[in-house]
């Protein structure tokens, strides 16, 4: 009989606590981003409704939520919304790429930095 009471390769209690702390920090960060955009912070916590509110923030129609249920299309729509999030807060495409690939760094910069919500730009025809 070989009983192994040692390390099993899991993340352990410290790993879980770190994971929960990161999730809590990101929830606070998104709450702050919603408030900066003039929306209720609690809206960032409600599944699906948070997407509808984010679509309002970036000036996209609500039915983009339906497109997010289509495989591959959902990736394209998410990238578009994230890049538009950077734009409505006065940031460039480089910052938007940072929001896509390093959200745990760039969303806090957006939330706690000096970025101001500038609204959706008027369409140019």
């Amino acid at each position: 009989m070989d009983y192994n009471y040692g390390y099993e390769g899991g993340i352990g209690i410290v790993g879980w606590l770190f994971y929960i702390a990161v999730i809590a920090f990101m929830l606070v960060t998104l709450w702050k981003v919603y408030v900066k955009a003039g929306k209720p912070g609690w809206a960032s916590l409600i599944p699906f409704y948070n997407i509808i509110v984010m679509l309002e923030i970036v000036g996209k129609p609500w039915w983009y939520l339906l497109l997010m249920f289509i495989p591959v299309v959902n990736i394209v729509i998410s990238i578009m919304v994230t890049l538009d999030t950077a734009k409505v807060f006065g940031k460039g495409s480089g910052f938007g790429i940072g929001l896509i690939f390093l959200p745990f760094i760039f969303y806090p910069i957006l939330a706690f930095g000096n970025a101001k919500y500038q609204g959706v730009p008027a369409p140019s025809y």
Side-chain angles (χ1 to χ4, degrees):
M1 293 185 175
D2 183 17
Y3 295 104
N4 184 3
Y5 293 108
Y7 180 71
E8 295 294 328
I11 63 172
I13 189 73
V14 174
W16 279 109
L17 290 175
F18 179 75
Y19 180 67
I20 291 169
V22 169
I23 290 173
F25 178 67
M26 289 306 293
L27 288 174
V28 169
T29 298
L30 286 175
W31 184 298
K32 180 78 171 154
V33 169
Y34 277 54
V35 169
K36 271 189 170 185
K39 301 295 181 182
W42 58 263
S44 66
L45 304 176
I46 311 296
F48 300 109
Y49 182 64
N50 62 355
I51 298 171
I52 292 171
V53 173
M54 182 57 79
L55 290 171
E56 289 176 7
I57 290 170
V58 299
K60 299 291 183 206
W62 67 268
W63 52 265
Y64 271 40
L65 175 66
L66 300 177
L67 295 176
M68 291 186 177
F69 289 103
I70 303 171
V72 181
V73 175
N74 60 356
I75 296 170
V76 174
I77 296 298
S78 296
I79 290 171
M80 289 172 47
V81 169
T82 304
L83 291 173
D84 287 345
T85 301
K87 288 179 187 171
V88 298
F89 281 96
K91 303 291 185 181
S93 297
F95 193 88
I97 291 170
L99 286 173
I100 293 168
F101 291 109
L102 296 169
F104 49 87
I105 294 173
F106 282 83
Y107 272 103
I109 292 171
L110 192 64
F112 301 109
N114 59 1
K116 302 263 190 266
Y117 180 68
Q118 299 175 350
V120 180
S124 57
Y125 295 105

